[in-house]
Amino acid sequence: MDAETIILKNLCIGYRTKNIIRTVAEGINAAIRQGELTCLLGANGIGKSTLLRTLSAFQPKLGGEIIIRSQESGNRSQEIDAFTDKELSRVIGVVLTEKPDIRNMTVRELVALGRSPYTGFWGTLHDEDWQVVDEAIDAVRISGLRERMVHTLSDGERQKVMIAKALAQQTPVIFLDEPTAFLDFPSKVEMMQLLRRLAREQQKTIFLSTHDFELALQVADTLWLMETGGVSIGTPRELAESGALARYVERPGITFEAETLTVRVAQL
């Protein structure tokens, strides 16, 4: 059985301002496993980005625990708040939706920024660092883009570069927010297959949010479905049999077939 890298215990997420606490979701109990591709599904505004930002320590949780097992904690389980920023940068890599607006930088130079948690004050890269950078570029199969300028790349190529940067960071965990958002369908498929392969081959814990429902059903090892009142978790088959996927996707004229994991749209 794959090891549990991140464990959530009674997690409560949302926003706290001076006078108001807005809870987005609470009572989340779950685990994200090493070597698996886990996809987070849910309607717009349900809180997927809030959950990802909280897991990434970009915003504080409102309650509960986020427990991480990593080499940075001596391979022990440790609460996320106990990590320093530097330690956390060696545990979690994050790839955001936004397109990086970068000019006058090559692909190799951008990927090299992933080494920043390991470099000294001046950010000097040594031969070992450049070897890690080149291995990350090779792993996502963009060796031919190594010396290309980042601003000349397509959306799909640019997203692969950002994933290579996360690999160069050498974190056991990678979170991605809508990594297929700007891609055409063949590129979406290629991206999801790439992430699943990296999870398998490099035993990464990869967790991503996506609106590509049918693609997630085919590629994900585990699904998290955020709904009002909680999160349903299981394999695509398990969530289909429980009725959770039908609740999420079905509307007038749209039906979900649990046996084949397919969506049917009525002819008008």
Side-chain angles (χ1 to χ4, degrees), residues 22-35:
R22 177 176 174 259
T23 300
V24 172
E26 58 187 334
I28 303 173
N29 293 282
I32 309 174
R33 297 181 179 277
Q34 176 185 3

Side-chain angles (χ1 to χ4, degrees), residues 197-264:
R197 176 173 61 81
L198 292 174
R200 295 277 200 280
E201 293 179 357
Q202 299 197 16
Q203 283 299 290
K204 299 286 188 184
T205 301
I206 299 183
F207 182 85
L208 64 90
S209 64
T210 182
H211 284 295
D212 291 315
F213 177 74
E214 290 182 279
L215 186 52
L217 295 188
Q218 297 182 61
V219 179
D221 296 295
T222 302
L223 294 177
W224 289 28
L225 177 59
M226 286 195 76
E227 305 173 276
T228 302
V231 181
S232 298
I233 297 172
T235 65
R237 178 62 59 190
E238 289 169 345
L239 292 193
E241 292 175 354
S242 74
L245 295 180
R247 284 198 309 271
Y248 169 60
V249 77
E250 287 191 339
R251 302 286 187 279
I254 304 173
T255 56
F256 178 71
E257 296 186 359
E259 288 187 8
T260 58
L261 299 179
T262 55
V263 177
R264 296 290 181 188

Side-chain angles (χ1 to χ4, degrees), residues 124-136:
T124 304
L125 269 65
H126 301 288
D127 290 343
E128 297 82 5
D129 295 301
W130 285 113
Q131 181 178 346
V132 171
V133 168
D134 288 333
E135 288 173 354

Side-chain angles (χ1 to χ4, degrees), residues 122-216:
W122 300 108
T124 304
L125 269 65
H126 301 288
D127 290 343
E128 297 82 5
D129 295 301
W130 285 113
Q131 181 178 346
V132 171
V133 168
D134 288 333
E135 288 173 354
I137 289 171
D138 292 341
V140 299
R141 300 175 180 173
I142 54 171
S143 302
L145 304 178
R146 200 181 310 264
E147 301 304 326
R148 281 270 300 276
M149 302 303 290
V150 174
H151 71 273
T152 69
L153 303 177
S154 68
D155 290 339
E157 291 169 338
R158 199 173 306 196
Q159 194 70 299
K160 288 180 183 178
V161 173
M162 300 309 293
I163 292 171
K165 176 177 172 287
L167 290 180
Q169 200 172 329
Q170 290 188 309
T171 58
V173 179
I174 300 177
F175 293 141
L176 304 101
D177 187 15
E178 293 282 351
T180 60
F182 304 112
L183 309 184
D184 58 31
F185 186 74
S187 298
K188 288 177 186 286
V189 174
E190 186 181 7
M191 180 62 61
M192 295 288 270
Q193 289 174 329
L194 165 65
L195 292 169
R196 182 169 177 170
R197 176 173 61 81
L198 292 174
R200 295 277 200 280
E201 293 179 357
Q202 299 197 16
Q203 283 299 290
K204 299 286 188 184
T205 301
I206 299 183
F207 182 85
L208 64 90
S209 64
T210 182
H211 284 295
D212 291 315
F213 177 74
E214 290 182 279
L215 186 52

Side-chain angles (χ1 to χ4, degrees), residues 54-167:
T54 305
L55 295 181
S56 306
F58 289 170
Q59 72 181 64
K61 60 187 184 297
L62 297 182
E65 297 177 274
I66 301 172
I67 299 169
I68 303 175
R69 186 179 182 87
S70 76
Q71 293 181 347
E72 289 297 315
S73 58
N75 221 25
R76 292 178 291 105
S77 297
Q78 184 170 292
E79 226 286 330
I80 194 169
D81 294 339
F83 287 84
T84 66
D85 289 344
K86 184 172 183 179
E87 287 171 342
L88 209 55
S89 71
R90 297 185 179 191
V91 176
I92 297 173
V94 181
V95 180
L96 299 175
T97 309
E98 292 81 9
K99 302 178 187 180
D101 185 16
I102 297 171
R103 295 186 176 273
N104 301 319
M105 182 177 285
T106 67
V107 164
R108 192 169 186 246
E109 289 168 340
L110 177 54
V111 174
L113 295 179
R115 297 303 298 161
S116 58
Y118 307 94
T119 58
F121 177 78
W122 300 108
T124 304
L125 269 65
H126 301 288
D127 290 343
E128 297 82 5
D129 295 301
W130 285 113
Q131 181 178 346
V132 171
V133 168
D134 288 333
E135 288 173 354
I137 289 171
D138 292 341
V140 299
R141 300 175 180 173
I142 54 171
S143 302
L145 304 178
R146 200 181 310 264
E147 301 304 326
R148 281 270 300 276
M149 302 303 290
V150 174
H151 71 273
T152 69
L153 303 177
S154 68
D155 290 339
E157 291 169 338
R158 199 173 306 196
Q159 194 70 299
K160 288 180 183 178
V161 173
M162 300 309 293
I163 292 171
K165 176 177 172 287
L167 290 180

